[in-house]
Coordinates of all heavy atoms in Angstrom, one line a residue:
M1 N 188.3 62.1 249.7 CA 187.4 60.9 249.3 C 186.9 61.2 247.9 O 186.4 62.3 247.6 CB 186.3 60.8 250.3 CG 185.4 59.6 249.9 SD 184.3 59.3 251.3 CE 182.8 59.1 250.3
K2 N 187.0 60.3 247.1 CA 186.5 60.4 245.7 C 185.0 60.3 245.6 O 184.4 59.5 246.3 CB 187.1 59.2 244.9 CG 187.1 59.4 243.4 CD 187.9 58.2 242.8 CE 188.3 58.5 241.4 NZ 189.0 57.4 240.8
G3 N 184.4 61.2 244.8 CA 182.9 61.3 244.7 C 182.4 60.3 243.6 O 183.2 59.5 243.1
L4 N 181.2 60.3 243.4 CA 180.5 59.4 242.4 C 181.1 59.7 241.0 O 181.2 58.9 240.2 CB 179.0 59.6 242.5 CG 178.2 58.8 241.5 CD1 178.4 57.3 241.6 CD2 176.7 59.1 241.6
F5 N 181.3 61.0 240.7 CA 181.8 61.4 239.4 C 183.2 61.9 239.4 O 183.6 62.6 240.3 CB 180.8 62.4 238.7 CG 179.5 61.8 238.5 CD1 178.5 61.7 239.5 CD2 179.2 61.1 237.4 CE1 177.3 61.1 239.3 CE2 178.0 60.5 237.2 CZ 177.0 60.5 238.2
I6 N 183.9 61.7 238.3 CA 185.3 62.2 238.2 C 185.3 63.6 237.6 O 184.4 63.9 236.8 CB 186.2 61.3 237.4 CG1 185.6 61.1 236.0 CG2 186.4 60.0 238.1 CD1 186.5 60.3 235.1
S7 N 186.2 64.4 238.0 CA 186.3 65.7 237.4 C 187.2 65.8 236.2 O 187.1 66.7 235.4 CB 186.8 66.7 238.5 OG 188.1 66.3 239.0
S8 N 188.2 64.9 236.1 CA 189.1 64.9 235.0 C 188.7 63.8 234.0 O 189.4 62.7 234.0 CB 190.5 64.7 235.5 OG 190.6 63.6 236.3
K9 N 187.7 64.0 233.3 CA 187.1 63.0 232.4 C 188.2 62.5 231.5 O 189.0 63.2 230.9 CB 186.0 63.7 231.6 CG 185.3 62.7 230.7 CD 184.2 63.4 230.0 CE 183.6 62.5 228.9 NZ 182.6 63.2 228.2
G10 N 188.2 61.2 231.3 CA 189.1 60.6 230.4 C 190.5 60.1 230.9 O 191.2 59.5 230.2
I11 N 190.7 60.4 232.2 CA 191.9 60.0 232.9 C 191.6 58.8 233.8 O 190.8 59.0 234.7 CB 192.6 61.2 233.6 CG1 193.0 62.2 232.6 CG2 193.8 60.6 234.3 CD1 193.5 63.5 233.3
A12 N 192.3 57.7 233.6 CA 192.1 56.6 234.5 C 193.4 56.4 235.3 O 194.5 56.1 234.7 CB 191.8 55.3 233.7
Y13 N 193.3 56.5 236.5 CA 194.5 56.3 237.4 C 194.6 54.8 237.8 O 193.6 54.1 237.6 CB 194.4 57.1 238.6 CG 194.5 58.6 238.3 CD1 193.4 59.4 238.1 CD2 195.7 59.2 238.0 CE1 193.4 60.7 237.8 CE2 195.8 60.5 237.7 CZ 194.7 61.3 237.5 OH 194.8 62.6 237.2
P14 N 195.7 54.3 238.3 CA 195.7 52.9 238.7 C 194.6 52.4 239.6 O 194.0 51.3 239.3 CB 197.1 52.8 239.5 CG 197.9 53.8 238.9 CD 196.9 55.0 238.6
E15 N 194.1 53.2 240.6 CA 193.0 52.8 241.4 C 191.7 52.7 240.6 O 190.8 51.9 240.8 CB 192.8 53.7 242.6 CG 192.5 55.1 242.3 CD 193.8 56.0 242.2 OE1 194.9 55.5 242.1 OE2 193.6 57.3 242.2
D16 N 191.6 53.6 239.5 CA 190.4 53.5 238.6 C 190.4 52.2 237.9 O 189.4 51.5 237.7 CB 190.4 54.6 237.7 CG 190.3 56.0 238.3 OD1 189.5 56.1 239.3 OD2 190.9 56.9 237.9
L17 N 191.6 51.8 237.4 CA 191.8 50.6 236.6 C 191.4 49.3 237.5 O 190.8 48.4 237.0 CB 193.1 50.4 236.0 CG 193.5 51.5 235.0 CD1 194.9 51.4 234.5 CD2 192.5 51.5 233.8
E18 N 191.9 49.4 238.7 CA 191.5 48.3 239.7 C 190.1 48.2 239.9 O 189.5 47.1 239.9 CB 192.2 48.5 241.0 CG 193.8 48.3 241.0 CD 194.4 48.6 242.3 OE1 193.7 48.6 243.3 OE2 195.6 49.0 242.2
M19 N 189.4 49.3 240.0 CA 187.9 49.3 240.2 C 187.2 48.8 239.0 O 186.3 48.0 239.1 CB 187.4 50.7 240.6 CG 186.0 50.9 240.8 SD 184.9 51.2 239.4 CE 185.5 52.7 238.7
L20 N 187.7 49.2 237.8 CA 187.0 48.8 236.6 C 187.2 47.3 236.4 O 186.3 46.6 236.0 CB 187.6 49.6 235.4 CG 187.2 51.1 235.3 CD1 188.0 51.8 234.3 CD2 185.8 51.3 235.2
S21 N 188.4 46.8 236.7 CA 188.6 45.4 236.6 C 187.8 44.6 237.7 O 187.2 43.6 237.3 CB 190.1 45.1 236.9 OG 190.4 43.8 236.9
S22 N 187.6 45.2 238.8 CA 186.8 44.6 239.8 C 185.3 44.5 239.4 O 184.6 43.5 239.6 CB 186.9 45.3 241.1 OG 186.0 44.8 242.1
V23 N 184.9 45.6 238.8 CA 183.4 45.6 238.2 C 183.3 44.5 237.2 O 182.3 43.7 237.2 CB 183.1 47.0 237.7 CG1 181.8 46.9 236.8 CG2 183.0 48.0 238.7
F24 N 184.2 44.4 236.3 CA 184.2 43.4 235.2 C 184.2 42.0 235.8 O 183.3 41.2 235.4 CB 185.4 43.6 234.2 CG 185.5 42.6 233.1 CD1 184.7 42.8 232.0 CD2 186.3 41.6 233.3 CE1 184.8 41.8 231.0 CE2 186.4 40.6 232.3 CZ 185.6 40.7 231.1
D25 N 185.1 41.7 236.7 CA 185.2 40.4 237.2 C 183.9 40.1 238.0 O 183.4 38.9 237.9 CB 186.4 40.3 238.2 CG 187.7 40.4 237.5 OD1 187.8 40.2 236.2 OD2 188.7 40.7 238.1
H26 N 183.4 41.0 238.8 CA 182.2 40.7 239.6 C 181.1 40.4 238.7 O 180.3 39.5 238.9 CB 181.9 42.0 240.5 CG 180.7 41.8 241.3 ND1 180.6 41.2 242.5 CD2 179.4 42.2 241.0 CE1 179.4 41.3 243.0 NE2 178.6 41.8 242.1
F27 N 180.9 41.3 237.7 CA 179.7 41.1 236.8 C 179.8 39.8 236.0 O 178.8 39.1 235.8 CB 179.6 42.3 235.9 CG 178.2 42.4 235.3 CD1 177.2 43.0 235.9 CD2 178.0 41.9 234.0 CE1 175.9 43.1 235.3 CE2 176.7 42.0 233.4 CZ 175.7 42.6 234.1
C28 N 181.0 39.5 235.6 CA 181.2 38.2 234.8 C 180.9 37.0 235.7 O 180.2 36.1 235.3 CB 182.6 38.1 234.3 SG 182.9 39.1 232.8
R29 N 181.3 37.0 237.0 CA 181.0 35.9 237.9 C 179.5 35.9 238.2 O 178.9 34.8 238.1 CB 181.7 36.1 239.2 CG 183.1 35.6 239.3 CD 183.7 35.5 240.7 NE 183.4 36.7 241.5 CZ 184.2 37.9 241.5 NH1 185.3 37.9 240.7 NH2 183.9 38.9 242.2
E30 N 178.9 37.0 238.5 CA 177.5 37.0 238.9 C 176.6 36.6 237.7 O 175.6 36.0 238.0 CB 177.1 38.5 239.3 CG 175.7 38.6 239.9 CD 175.5 40.0 240.4 OE1 176.1 40.4 241.4 OE2 174.7 40.7 239.8
H31 N 177.0 36.9 236.5 CA 176.1 36.5 235.4 C 176.7 35.4 234.5 O 176.2 35.2 233.4 CB 175.9 37.8 234.5 CG 175.1 38.9 235.3 ND1 173.7 38.8 235.4 CD2 175.5 39.9 236.0 CE1 173.4 39.8 236.1 NE2 174.4 40.5 236.5
Q32 N 177.7 34.7 235.1 CA 178.2 33.6 234.4 C 178.7 33.9 232.9 O 178.4 33.2 232.0 CB 177.3 32.4 234.4 CG 177.0 32.0 235.9 CD 175.8 31.1 236.0 OE1 175.1 30.8 235.1 NE2 175.6 30.6 237.2
I33 N 179.4 34.9 232.8 CA 180.0 35.4 231.5 C 181.4 35.0 231.5 O 182.2 35.2 232.4 CB 179.9 36.9 231.4 CG1 178.4 37.4 231.4 CG2 180.6 37.4 230.1 CD1 178.2 38.8 231.5
K34 N 181.8 34.2 230.4 CA 183.2 33.8 230.3 C 184.0 35.0 229.9 O 183.7 35.7 228.9 CB 183.3 32.7 229.2 CG 182.6 31.5 229.7 CD 182.8 30.4 228.7 CE 182.0 29.1 229.2 NZ 182.2 28.0 228.2
P35 N 185.1 35.3 230.6 CA 185.9 36.5 230.4 C 186.5 36.7 229.0 O 186.7 37.8 228.5 CB 187.1 36.4 231.4 CG 186.4 35.6 232.5 CD 185.6 34.6 231.8
Q36 N 186.6 35.6 228.2 CA 187.2 35.7 226.8 C 186.0 35.7 225.8 O 186.3 35.7 224.6 CB 188.1 34.6 226.6 CG 189.3 34.6 227.5 CD 190.1 35.8 227.5 OE1 190.3 36.4 226.5 NE2 190.6 36.2 228.7
S37 N 184.8 35.8 226.2 CA 183.7 35.7 225.3 C 183.4 37.1 224.6 O 183.8 38.1 225.1 CB 182.4 35.2 225.9 OG 181.9 36.2 226.9
S38 N 182.6 37.1 223.5 CA 182.2 38.3 222.9 C 181.3 39.1 223.8 O 181.3 40.4 223.8 CB 181.5 38.0 221.6 OG 180.3 37.3 221.8
E39 N 180.5 38.5 224.7 CA 179.7 39.2 225.6 C 180.6 40.0 226.6 O 180.3 41.1 227.0 CB 178.8 38.2 226.4 CG 177.8 38.9 227.3 CD 176.8 37.9 227.9 OE1 176.9 36.7 227.8 OE2 175.9 38.4 228.7
A40 N 181.7 39.3 227.0 CA 182.6 39.9 228.0 C 183.3 41.1 227.3 O 183.5 42.2 228.0 CB 183.6 39.0 228.5
T41 N 183.6 41.0 226.0 CA 184.2 42.2 225.3 C 183.2 43.3 225.3 O 183.6 44.5 225.5 CB 184.6 41.7 223.9 OG1 185.5 40.7 224.0 CG2 185.1 42.9 223.1
E42 N 182.0 43.1 225.0 CA 180.9 44.1 225.0 C 180.8 44.7 226.4 O 180.7 45.9 226.6 CB 179.6 43.6 224.5 CG 178.5 44.7 224.4 CD 178.8 45.8 223.6 OE1 179.7 45.8 222.7 OE2 178.2 46.9 223.7
L43 N 180.8 43.9 227.4 CA 180.7 44.3 228.8 C 181.8 45.3 229.1 O 181.6 46.4 229.7 CB 180.7 43.1 229.8 CG 180.8 43.4 231.2 CD1 179.6 44.3 231.7 CD2 181.0 42.2 232.1
A44 N 183.1 45.0 228.7 CA 184.2 45.8 229.0 C 184.0 47.2 228.3 O 184.3 48.2 228.8 CB 185.5 45.2 228.5
R45 N 183.5 47.1 227.1 CA 183.2 48.4 226.3 C 182.2 49.2 227.1 O 182.4 50.5 227.2 CB 182.7 48.1 224.9 CG 183.7 47.7 224.0 CD 183.2 47.5 222.6 NE 184.2 47.0 221.7 CZ 184.1 45.8 221.0 NH1 182.9 45.2 221.1 NH2 185.0 45.4 220.3
V46 N 181.2 48.6 227.6 CA 180.1 49.4 228.3 C 180.7 50.0 229.6 O 180.4 51.1 229.9 CB 178.9 48.5 228.6 CG1 177.9 49.2 229.5 CG2 178.2 48.1 227.3
I47 N 181.5 49.2 230.3 CA 182.1 49.7 231.6 C 183.0 50.9 231.3 O 182.9 51.9 232.0 CB 182.8 48.5 232.3 CG1 181.9 47.4 232.8 CG2 183.7 49.1 233.4 CD1 182.6 46.2 233.2
I48 N 183.8 50.8 230.3 CA 184.7 51.9 230.0 C 183.8 53.1 229.5 O 184.2 54.2 229.9 CB 185.7 51.5 228.8 CG1 186.6 50.5 229.3 CG2 186.4 52.7 228.3 CD1 187.5 50.9 230.5
S49 N 182.8 52.9 228.8 CA 181.9 54.0 228.4 C 181.3 54.7 229.6 O 181.2 55.9 229.6 CB 180.8 53.5 227.4 OG 181.3 53.1 226.2
L50 N 180.8 53.9 230.5 CA 180.2 54.5 231.7 C 181.3 55.3 232.5 O 181.0 56.4 233.0 CB 179.7 53.4 232.7 CG 178.4 52.7 232.1 CD1 178.0 51.5 232.9 CD2 177.2 53.7 232.0
F51 N 182.5 54.8 232.6 CA 183.6 55.5 233.3 C 183.9 56.8 232.5 O 184.0 57.9 233.2 CB 184.8 54.6 233.4 CG 186.0 55.3 234.0 CD1 186.1 55.4 235.4 CD2 187.0 55.8 233.2 CE1 187.1 56.0 236.0 CE2 188.1 56.4 233.8 CZ 188.2 56.6 235.2
E52 N 184.0 56.7 231.2 CA 184.3 57.9 230.4 C 183.1 59.0 230.5 O 183.4 60.1 230.3 CB 184.5 57.6 229.0 CG 185.8 56.9 228.8 CD 186.1 56.4 227.3 OE1 185.0 56.2 226.6 OE2 187.3 56.1 227.0
A53 N 181.9 58.5 230.8 CA 180.8 59.4 231.0 C 180.8 60.1 232.4 O 180.1 60.9 232.6 CB 179.5 58.7 230.8
G54 N 181.7 59.6 233.2 CA 181.9 60.2 234.5 C 181.6 59.3 235.7 O 181.8 59.8 236.8
L55 N 181.1 58.1 235.5 CA 180.8 57.2 236.7 C 182.1 56.6 237.2 O 182.9 56.1 236.4 CB 179.9 56.1 236.2 CG 178.5 56.5 236.1 CD1 177.7 55.5 235.3 CD2 177.8 56.8 237.4
C56 N 182.4 56.8 238.4 CA 183.6 56.2 239.0 C 183.4 55.4 240.3 O 184.4 55.2 241.0 CB 184.7 57.3 239.2 SG 184.2 58.5 240.5
E57 N 182.2 55.1 240.6 CA 181.9 54.3 241.8 C 181.5 52.9 241.3 O 180.6 52.7 240.5 CB 180.7 54.9 242.6 CG 181.2 56.1 243.4 CD 182.0 55.7 244.6 OE1 181.8 54.6 245.2 OE2 183.0 56.4 244.9
E58 N 182.1 51.9 241.9 CA 181.8 50.5 241.5 C 180.3 50.2 241.7 O 179.7 49.6 240.8 CB 182.7 49.6 242.4 CG 182.5 48.1 242.0 CD 183.6 47.2 242.7 OE1 184.6 47.7 243.3 OE2 183.3 46.0 242.7
A59 N 179.8 50.5 242.8 CA 178.4 50.2 243.1 C 177.4 50.8 242.0 O 176.5 50.1 241.6 CB 178.0 50.6 244.5
A60 N 177.7 52.0 241.7 CA 176.8 52.7 240.7 C 176.9 52.1 239.3 O 175.9 51.9 238.6 CB 177.2 54.2 240.6
I61 N 178.1 51.7 238.9 CA 178.3 51.0 237.6 C 177.6 49.7 237.6 O 176.9 49.3 236.7 CB 179.8 50.9 237.3 CG1 180.4 52.3 237.0 CG2 180.0 50.0 236.0 CD1 182.0 52.3 236.9
L62 N 177.7 49.0 238.7 CA 177.1 47.7 238.8 C 175.6 47.8 238.7 O 174.9 47.0 238.1 CB 177.5 46.9 240.0 CG 178.9 46.3 240.0 CD1 179.4 45.9 241.4 CD2 179.0 45.2 239.0
V63 N 175.0 48.8 239.4 CA 173.6 49.0 239.3 C 173.1 49.3 237.9 O 172.2 48.7 237.4 CB 173.1 50.2 240.2 CG1 171.7 50.7 239.9 CG2 173.2 49.8 241.7
I64 N 173.9 50.1 237.2 CA 173.5 50.4 235.8 C 173.7 49.2 234.9 O 172.8 48.9 234.1 CB 174.4 51.5 235.2 CG1 174.0 52.8 236.0 CG2 174.2 51.7 233.7 CD1 174.8 54.0 235.7
L65 N 174.7 48.4 235.1 CA 175.0 47.2 234.3 C 173.8 46.2 234.6 O 173.2 45.5 233.7 CB 176.3 46.5 234.7 CG 177.5 47.3 234.2 CD1 178.8 46.6 234.8 CD2 177.5 47.4 232.7
D66 N 173.4 46.0 235.9 CA 172.3 45.1 236.2 C 171.0 45.6 235.5 O 170.2 44.8 235.0 CB 172.1 45.0 237.7 CG 173.1 44.1 238.4 OD1 173.6 43.2 237.7 OD2 173.4 44.3 239.6
S67 N 170.8 46.9 235.6 CA 169.6 47.5 234.9 C 169.6 47.2 233.4 O 168.5 46.9 232.8 CB 169.5 49.0 235.2 OG 169.3 49.2 236.5
M68 N 170.8 47.3 232.8 CA 170.8 47.1 231.4 C 170.6 45.6 231.1 O 169.9 45.2 230.1 CB 172.3 47.5 230.8 CG 172.5 49.0 230.9 SD 174.2 49.5 230.5 CE 174.2 49.0 228.7
K69 N 171.2 44.7 231.9 CA 171.0 43.3 231.7 C 169.6 42.9 231.9 O 169.1 42.0 231.2 CB 171.9 42.6 232.8 CG 171.9 41.0 232.6 CD 172.8 40.6 231.5 CE 173.0 39.2 231.6 NZ 173.7 38.6 230.4
N70 N 168.8 43.5 232.9 CA 167.4 43.2 233.1 C 166.5 43.9 232.2 O 165.3 43.7 232.3 CB 167.1 43.6 234.6 CG 167.8 42.8 235.5 OD1 168.2 41.7 235.3 ND2 168.1 43.4 236.7
G71 N 167.0 44.8 231.3 CA 166.2 45.4 230.3 C 165.5 46.7 230.8 O 164.6 47.2 230.1
T72 N 165.8 47.1 232.0 CA 165.2 48.4 232.5 C 165.9 49.6 232.1 O 165.4 50.7 232.4 CB 165.1 48.3 234.1 OG1 166.4 48.1 234.6 CG2 164.2 47.2 234.5
L73 N 167.0 49.5 231.5 CA 167.8 50.6 231.0 C 168.5 50.2 229.8 O 169.2 49.2 229.7 CB 168.9 51.1 232.1 CG 169.7 52.2 231.7 CD1 168.9 53.5 231.7 CD2 170.9 52.4 232.7
T74 N 168.4 51.0 228.7 CA 169.1 50.7 227.5 C 170.4 51.4 227.3 O 170.6 52.4 228.0 CB 168.2 51.0 226.2 OG1 168.1 52.5 226.2 CG2 166.9 50.4 226.3
R75 N 171.3 50.8 226.6 CA 172.6 51.4 226.4 C 172.4 52.8 225.7 O 173.3 53.7 225.9 CB 173.5 50.5 225.5 CG 174.9 51.1 225.4 CD 175.8 50.0 224.7 NE 177.1 50.7 224.7 CZ 178.1 50.2 224.0 NH1 178.0 49.1 223.4 NH2 179.3 50.8 224.1
A76 N 171.4 53.0 225.0 CA 171.2 54.2 224.3 C 170.5 55.3 225.1 O 170.2 56.4 224.7 CB 170.3 54.0 223.0
E77 N 170.4 55.1 226.4 CA 169.9 56.1 227.3 C 170.6 57.4 227.2 O 171.8 57.4 227.4 CB 170.0 55.5 228.8 CG 169.4 56.5 229.8 CD 167.9 56.5 229.9 OE1 167.3 55.5 229.4 OE2 167.3 57.4 230.4
P78 N 169.9 58.4 226.8 CA 170.6 59.7 226.5 C 171.1 60.4 227.8 O 170.4 60.4 228.8 CB 169.5 60.6 225.8 CG 168.2 60.0 226.3 CD 168.5 58.5 226.5
N79 N 172.3 61.0 227.7 CA 172.8 61.8 228.8 C 172.8 61.1 230.1 O 172.3 61.6 231.1 CB 172.1 63.1 228.9 CG 172.2 63.9 227.6 OD1 173.3 64.0 227.0 ND2 171.1 64.4 227.1
L80 N 173.2 59.8 230.2 CA 173.1 59.0 231.4 C 173.8 59.7 232.6 O 173.2 59.8 233.7 CB 173.7 57.7 231.2 CG 173.7 56.7 232.3 CD1 172.3 56.4 232.7 CD2 174.3 55.4 231.9
A81 N 175.0 60.2 232.4 CA 175.7 60.8 233.5 C 175.0 62.1 234.0 O 174.9 62.3 235.2 CB 177.2 61.1 233.1
A82 N 174.5 62.9 233.0 CA 173.8 64.1 233.4 C 172.6 63.7 234.2 O 172.2 64.3 235.2 CB 173.5 64.9 232.2
H83 N 171.9 62.7 233.7 CA 170.7 62.3 234.4 C 170.9 61.9 235.9 O 170.2 62.2 236.8 CB 170.0 61.1 233.6 CG 168.8 60.5 234.3 ND1 167.6 61.2 234.4 CD2 168.7 59.4 235.0 CE1 166.8 60.4 235.0 NE2 167.4 59.3 235.4
L84 N 172.0 61.1 236.1 CA 172.3 60.6 237.4 C 172.8 61.7 238.3 O 172.7 61.5 239.5 CB 173.4 59.5 237.3 CG 172.9 58.2 236.6 CD1 174.1 57.3 236.4 CD2 171.8 57.5 237.4
T85 N 173.4 62.8 237.8 CA 173.9 63.8 238.7 C 172.9 64.9 238.9 O 173.1 65.8 239.8 CB 175.2 64.5 238.1 OG1 174.9 65.0 236.8 CG2 176.3 63.4 238.0
D86 N 171.8 65.0 238.2 CA 170.8 66.0 238.3 C 170.0 65.8 239.6 O 169.4 64.8 239.8 CB 169.9 66.0 237.1 CG 168.9 67.2 237.1 OD1 168.7 67.8 238.1 OD2 168.4 67.5 236.0
P87 N 170.1 66.8 240.5 CA 169.4 66.6 241.8 C 167.9 66.5 241.7 O 167.3 66.0 242.6 CB 169.8 67.8 242.6 CG 170.3 68.8 241.6 CD 170.8 68.1 240.4
R88 N 167.3 66.9 240.6 CA 165.9 66.8 240.4 C 165.5 65.3 240.2 O 164.3 65.0 240.2 CB 165.4 67.7 239.3 CG 165.7 69.1 239.5 CD 165.4 69.9 238.3 NE 166.4 69.5 237.3 CZ 166.5 70.2 236.2 NH1 165.8 71.2 235.9 NH2 167.4 69.7 235.3
N89 N 166.4 64.4 239.8 CA 166.1 63.0 239.5 C 166.1 62.2 240.7 O 166.8 62.2 241.6 CB 167.0 62.5 238.5 CG 166.9 63.2 237.1 OD1 165.8 63.6 236.7 ND2 168.0 63.4 236.5

């Protein structure tokens, strides 16, 4: 079973691409973002950045995206992946 974080950073397997696409589609539908818009392009960049930072669970990425959308988390949040994996948090 795959954990919350990937061990081989930077490698996206077919199942990873399916999950990332699902996150993108879900978030666009939920927030009424047109897939060809500049907002959707930025969303795709953020999703890829989160994946590259080590996030590989759809639910976790959606929680972060919702937090960013609601203004409770900024894109500039330092060491996001480290913060999420630290057991003290």
Side-chain angles (χ1 to χ4, degrees):
M1 184 171 134
K2 201 174 193 182
L4 177 60
F5 295 90
I6 58 174
S7 59
S8 53
K9 184 176 173 187
I11 297 174
Y13 295 98
E15 62 269 13
D16 297 322
L17 297 175
E18 288 176 26
M19 181 273 299
L20 295 170
S21 179
S22 176
V23 168
F24 177 83
D25 292 342
H26 176 88
F27 198 83
C28 283
R29 273 192 315 275
E30 187 174 293
H31 295 279
Q32 299 165 353
I33 298 170
K34 293 183 180 181
Q36 301 302 322
S37 68
S38 60
E39 186 177 4
T41 300
E42 180 60 20
L43 172 62
R45 285 187 187 119
V46 171
I47 291 170
I48 294 297
S49 294
L50 291 171
F51 179 79
E52 288 176 341
L55 284 165
C56 67
E57 283 290 323
E58 184 171 343
I61 294 173
L62 286 168
V63 165
I64 291 170
L65 292 174
D66 283 333
S67 295
M68 291 172 70
K69 184 81 170 170
N70 297 330
T72 57
L73 179 70
T74 65
R75 185 169 182 192
E77 180 76 21
N79 302 313
L80 183 58
H83 174 75
L84 294 172
T85 57
D86 189 336
R88 297 173 296 192
N89 295 323

